Amino acid sequence: MTARVHRDVEIGYKLFNAEAADIRHKQYSRGRYTYHEWEVTDVDPYDYYSSESYNINHFSPHVVLYVKSTNIDDQPKKYFGDIDDLFDYYKGFISDLNTSYSPELKELVEKLTDGLTREEKARAIYYWVQRNIKYVAYEQGYMGFRPSPANEVFNKRFGDCKGMSSLINGMMELAGLDASIAWVGTRRIPYTYEQLPLPQVDNHMVAARYTGENDICILDGTFDYLDYGVYPFHIQGKEVMVAKENGGYDIFKVPISPAGYSTISDSVSIRMQGDLIMGDGKVTHTGFNKMELASAMDGVKKDNYNETLTRLLNKGNNKFSVKGHQIHNLFDYDKPAEVDYQFVLHDYSRKIGDELYINLNLDKSYQDFSIDTTGIIQPVENDFYCTETSITRFEISDGYEITYVPDDAEFKTGNISASFKYIKDDGVIILKRQLTFEFFVLVGDQISNWNHLISYLNQQYRSSIALKKTDNQTSNIVKK
């Protein structure tokens, strides 16, 4: 790689992922130009990972060039070099932002926040922007950095991340609340501000509100159904540059929500009715799982809810069908979503003579999620830490006794775990399965751990309980 630079321009460069590569840099001058050459030879092959949010810059050796300063016609000008320079560059795009507000916007804010506490005002403003402003990305040229004024976004009823942040910031100011413009890079970008204090470190903008000395509330209007005060999952673990009122800035590292914040708990009770399995279920979604469920149901006509829930809650086989449902809090903020549902499952149980076999693993999630490591490798990506619990309660039919129950099993390695526990109660057998994922991306040796998990799950998914027809309805025989 060669860069030719005019003698009036000073450049800098940053090397990344170069530890295993002997990258040689050579610099020389010819006439009015300075030449920079980077050369590497005998590079060992390495695994190539490709996905939407984990790009080549995470693992591939590369060099990033930038302009440090110029001296044209004896007029020196500094550009980039440290974090202060980057903030000065960003500040130029917001220095004249939201200097005035329309009467209509002022009236809306007054109506939204009348009689509310400061925290309630912030919450009301954030939810109004979520519900009423459509997200439309726009990144051409300088408009990829310059936010649209709050008045413009309010009047058009659409905006990109910068415009929505500008509107939230403006409405907060009208309500007498402190809010700031903030820049952040999603997890697609691997750099910190210290590593790369250049515009390439960021690709997103949010609003930020100080809620304590060291605590900042991130307000991202591009996320539908995201509860107030929750850090968007795609920037968790990343750094945010927050513009302060005094003209300075803070660097804030976004916390990671624990696996217990985003949960799915699906509990069903099933019974035999002839050759059919009839069931009643209740599934509860919290955190980001609730947000995803709301997004999946958004726009679905109520007459089509059973059909959509059949697809989303699929169990057993492709002859599963939801026949009724009751939904609570799905599109409400700050509450878990709950779905009570009734279903039927055809051709699932297996009878051989007087024996009956039932696989209580109705939910076989991830069974086809093993990763092929023979070519370009798809890393395992997880949007957010989460816990999934599935409980199946099988009511033993009269005239049957239990002859076999699978052993309990547990799998745990690093940041993923799974457990299967069978419980025999009065007239019922219960299977509780729990999966916990505490990672964002798995690469390298972690892929092998993931494939071991999938193999383990599939092994457990093949396990069934066995029952035998008998005239003794009080028998409690259990064999393992």
Side-chain angles (χ1 to χ4, degrees), residues 204-393:
H204 192 48
M205 183 174 280
V206 295
R209 179 168 178 263
Y210 287 83
T211 55
E213 184 177 351
N214 298 308
D215 198 14
I216 293 178
C217 178
I218 299 297
L219 305 169
D220 188 342
T222 68
F223 268 67
D224 292 336
Y225 309 114
L226 182 65
D227 289 340
Y228 173 84
V230 176
Y231 296 108
F233 60 74
H234 68 326
I235 63 171
Q236 289 191 4
K238 295 287 291 181
E239 292 179 340
V240 181
M241 177 180 282
V242 183
K244 299 173 67 174
E245 283 192 339
N246 63 7
Y249 64 90
D250 280 332
I251 301 295
F252 173 71
K253 187 170 183 178
V254 181
I256 297 174
S257 300
Y261 170 72
S262 297
T263 66
I264 298 176
S265 181
D266 192 2
S267 179
V268 301
S269 180
I270 61 174
R271 58 200 174 274
M272 297 295 301
Q273 185 172 307
D275 292 331
L276 299 179
I277 290 180
M278 310 297 293
D280 299 285
K282 183 182 189 68
V283 61
T284 301
H285 287 238
T286 68
F288 295 118
N289 289 114
K290 179 205 171 180
M291 188 187 74
E292 289 191 339
L293 178 62
S295 297
M297 297 295 292
D298 190 9
V300 177
K301 295 180 180 179
K302 290 191 174 181
D303 289 345
N304 296 329
Y305 269 21
N306 278 350
E307 179 182 349
T308 302
L309 289 172
T310 294
R311 176 175 54 83
L312 295 176
L313 303 175
N314 183 54
K315 291 175 171 56
N317 58 32
N318 59 5
K319 296 184 179 180
F320 167 85
S321 179
V322 172
K323 296 300 183 182
H325 66 270
Q326 301 80 42
I327 298 179
H328 313 281
N329 309 323
L330 179 57
F331 299 112
D332 297 332
Y333 292 109
D334 307 312
K335 299 176 183 177
E338 297 178 346
V339 181
D340 297 300
Y341 59 101
Q342 301 78 47
F343 65 90
V344 61
L345 183 57
H346 295 259
D347 299 335
Y348 186 71
S349 62
R350 185 159 54 100
K351 288 184 179 180
I352 302 176
D354 59 356
E355 293 183 317
L356 175 66
Y357 298 89
I358 298 288
N359 188 333
L360 299 188
N361 293 283
L362 299 184
D363 181 0
K364 297 181 177 63
S365 300
Y366 309 102
Q367 64 177 345
D368 298 322
F369 277 42
S370 61
I371 303 299
D372 182 0
T373 59
T374 59
I376 293 179
I377 302 173
Q378 184 80 12
V380 181
E381 294 184 86
N382 186 40
D383 284 339
F384 46 84
Y385 290 16
C386 59
T387 299
E388 300 179 12
T389 303
S390 176
I391 299 174
T392 303
R393 181 179 183 272

Side-chain angles (χ1 to χ4, degrees), residues 458-472:
N458 282 320
Q459 179 182 351
Q460 300 305 316
Y461 289 160
R462 290 190 290 268
S463 299
S464 297
I465 64 171
L467 302 95
K468 188 174 182 179
K469 203 165 189 179
T470 177
D471 293 331
N472 182 6

